[in-house]
Amino acid sequence: MSWEPSPLQQERIAFRRRQAQRSTLIAAGSSVVLLVLVAVGIGSTPGWPRVRETFFNVDRAWEALPTVAQGLWLNIRVMLVCAVLIVIIGMTLAILRTLRGPIFFPLRVFAAAYTDVFRGLPLLLVIFLLGFGVPALQLRGLPNDAVIWGGAALVLTYSSYVAEVFRAGIESVHPSQRAAARSLGLTYRQTLRFVVLPQAVRRVLPPLLNDFVSLQKDSGLIAVLGVIDAIRAAQLETAIDFNFTPYVVAGLLFVALTIPLTRLTDYVARRQGWYGGGGGPV
């Protein structure tokens, strides 16, 4: 005989279903009202027709879309390569800062100085220094590609932030975990690899993904070096007729690229208990 909920439980389930439907309707209604008010408020301004033609021209958007999308593909490639390097360098710096014993003091000082310097320097300034300064030295064997030096600036800056994220995760692991691993005969390296790092990475995954969301957007800063990415492509398209719609197209493409990772970050954070129960699912 299959189990069936009691009449009282069925009433509770029906009540919760009605409450969920009611909340959904209220949320949808309030959203529609807000959008209508915003649309009416903006549309009633005197300069809206000019703004619509200059920034939201649909025909101009379709014309600029292929060129801007081609530039966005460069941003995606730069972001993916930089993300791998950032994780490797950030993890290395975090491990260096957590090494114990006086013999490792120079390594700890180097890692601390690295994170302090590159967290203090604005990213745009680092891009200028590397993108224009290093090629000007004319050192033999070094590339002159602006994409490489723009990506290097992203790696140097973001690895300092990611290093602190990893270090926070490593230091959040209770010392008893290390002691238990050493009592079982594991070496320091084995303890770090099999006990500490797996727990640390799992704990810092949400803030780590947030850093990569920022990296997606900041990859567009390499445009200041003349690299034809999405932003630079939009600038060139705008220079044709001084219509700024290509910039809006570039912004929409960046948003479409960022939202999936943002939702993934929220999902991971919610599963790990980073978010509380208030505020709704969004």
Side-chain angles (χ1 to χ4, degrees), residues 150-161:
L154 291 171
V155 171
L156 290 175
T157 301
Y158 269 87
S159 59
S160 63
Y161 291 99

Side-chain angles (χ1 to χ4, degrees), residues 45-271:
T45 57
W48 169 244
R50 178 62 176 170
V51 171
R52 181 179 57 190
E53 179 63 25
T54 306
F55 289 90
F56 302 102
N57 189 311
V58 177
D59 294 333
R60 190 68 184 91
W62 282 112
E63 292 177 4
L65 181 59
T67 304
V68 177
Q70 185 177 359
L72 184 69
W73 173 234
L74 176 62
N75 291 108
I76 295 174
R77 287 180 290 169
V78 169
M79 187 271 296
L80 292 177
V81 174
C82 290
V84 175
L85 297 176
I86 288 168
V87 169
I88 296 174
I89 297 176
M91 178 69 75
T92 303
L93 291 171
I95 294 175
L96 292 180
R97 290 204 67 178
T98 56
L99 291 176
R100 301 177 182 179
I103 192 173
F104 297 115
F105 177 76
L107 296 179
R108 292 196 299 268
V109 170
F110 167 76
Y114 180 97
T115 54
D116 289 344
V117 169
F118 284 103
R119 284 194 303 166
L121 289 174
L123 174 57
L124 192 59
L125 180 59
V126 178
I127 292 177
F128 282 140
L129 292 176
L130 291 182
F132 296 130
V134 176
L137 296 175
Q138 298 182 353
L139 298 177
R140 185 174 301 176
L142 289 181
N144 292 325
D145 194 340
V147 176
I148 294 178
W149 292 115
L154 291 171
V155 171
L156 290 175
T157 301
Y158 269 87
S159 59
S160 63
Y161 291 99
V162 171
E164 290 300 285
V165 173
F166 278 132
R167 185 169 73 96
I170 292 173
E171 294 184 347
S172 69
V173 178
H174 198 273
S176 61
Q177 298 287 321
R178 296 176 182 265
R182 298 304 296 270
S183 67
L184 293 174
L186 273 67
T187 63
Y188 176 83
R189 182 179 299 178
Q190 291 173 330
T191 300
L192 190 64
R193 177 182 176 184
F194 297 109
V195 178
V196 177
L197 287 183
Q199 297 184 63
V201 171
R202 181 180 180 274
R203 294 179 181 183
V204 302
L205 195 56
L208 191 63
L209 290 175
N210 274 324
D211 284 336
F212 290 142
V213 170
S214 298
L215 177 64
Q216 283 184 339
K217 298 179 296 182
D218 287 344
S219 65
L221 292 177
I222 63 175
V224 299
L225 300 179
V227 177
I228 303 180
D229 69 333
I231 296 177
R232 179 62 174 168
Q235 184 181 20
L236 295 176
E237 286 290 323
T238 300
I240 296 176
D241 53 4
F242 297 99
N243 188 291
F244 296 97
T245 303
Y247 283 123
V248 178
V249 173
L252 292 176
L253 290 178
F254 271 106
V255 170
L257 182 65
T258 304
I259 285 178
L261 185 55
T262 304
R263 296 284 74 84
L264 175 62
T265 302
D266 293 340
Y267 172 76
V268 173
R270 194 172 292 109
R271 281 181 61 89

